[in-house]
Amino acid sequence: MIGVLGGTFNPIHYAHLRCAIEVKELFGLAQVRMIPNAQPPHRPSPIVPGMMRAQMLELAIANHPGLLCDRRELERPQPSFMVDTLVSLRGEFPAQPLLLFIGNDAFSQLKQWRRWQQLFDYAHIVVMTRPGWQIQATDDFFQARLTDDCHALRSNLAGKLFFQAVTPLDISATAIRNCIATQQDPSFLLPDAVIAYIRQHQLYQAPD
Ligand code: ATP
């Protein structure tokens, strides 16, 4: 099984990284492909170019084989739609279940994603939740796909909806950007190598 974790990663931080490691181990994944988006369709474009966000991601995962920086969304015409990314991954991995990991904040907006129902034709969706979080999958479309049996993820290539608790870490890239813009120290929110890169390139100096 292959894991997919898309995001703006503006910048990558410890909550992204902790989620990636935990789901890799929990689901016994061969790899987790972390995919920086070129131009997020549902939010203003990030100021930092995709190639720099990818470089920060690569610095963060340098010592973690099994976590990969996948640049396919940066290499194709914008904007980045996850359904196109999954089509491309399915072509590359025709016989492996794909697990698309999203935070519960992203899941609550899923119906705004381009061709969102077709995401399930190419991957399972695993929502990373806090322990005890109330499931918000009440409509028939989600109910028909919901499972709490992780074997169902392994025995089908796509099509299931699964909720997985992960260690809650209340870290966001927005808070990190604001921290840097106000000359505070972001240490312990993201890797030192990424902080050094941000300083070297003087990123996030202005408030959002
Ligand atoms: P921003 O603050 O700029 O919106 P972010 O910190 O939410 O950024 P993204 O790159 O937008 O980071 O997130 C990528 C994916 O990681 C999304 O699916 C998001 O839900 C998830 N994610 C981000 N932060 C956390 C967190 N603290 N815990 C669990 N999942 C998270």
Side-chain angles (χ1 to χ4, degrees), residues 8 22 27 32 34 51 53 66 69-70 82 92 103-105 119 133-134 153 155 172 178 185 195 197 207:
T8 312
E22 285 188 17
F27 294 96
V32 176
M34 302 179 75
M51 283 304 168
R53 289 180 284 113
C69 176
D70 180 328
M82 180 51 76
E92 203 171 314
N104 48 23
D105 56 316
L119 298 168
W133 186 75
Q134 294 292 311
L153 304 180
S155 53
S172 73
N178 288 333
D185 184 352
I195 295 175
Y197 183 100

Side-chain angles (χ1 to χ4, degrees), residues 17-27 165-169:
L17 294 160
R18 187 65 219 158
C19 284
I21 287 287
E22 285 188 17
V23 298
K24 179 175 182 298
E25 292 181 341
L26 280 162
F27 294 96
V166 293
T167 300
L169 288 171

Side-chain angles (χ1 to χ4, degrees), residues 13 17 34-35 44 64 71 73 76 90 94 97 107-108 116 118 123 140 161 169 184 193 202 204:
H13 55 64
L17 294 160
M34 302 179 75
I35 308 184
H64 292 278
R71 294 176 181 239
E73 291 193 357
R76 68 169 194 246
R90 175 54 69 215
F107 179 66
S108 68
W116 64 272
Q118 289 175 33
D140 289 346
L161 175 64
L169 288 171
Q184 296 174 72
Q202 301 204 310
Y204 310 122

Side-chain angles (χ1 to χ4, degrees), residues 6-9 13 15-16 19 43 102-103 105 169 171-174 177:
T8 312
F9 302 122
H13 55 64
H16 299 134
C19 284
R43 54 196 296 179
I102 58 176
D105 56 316
L169 288 171
I171 301 174
S172 73
T174 302
R177 293 193 300 275

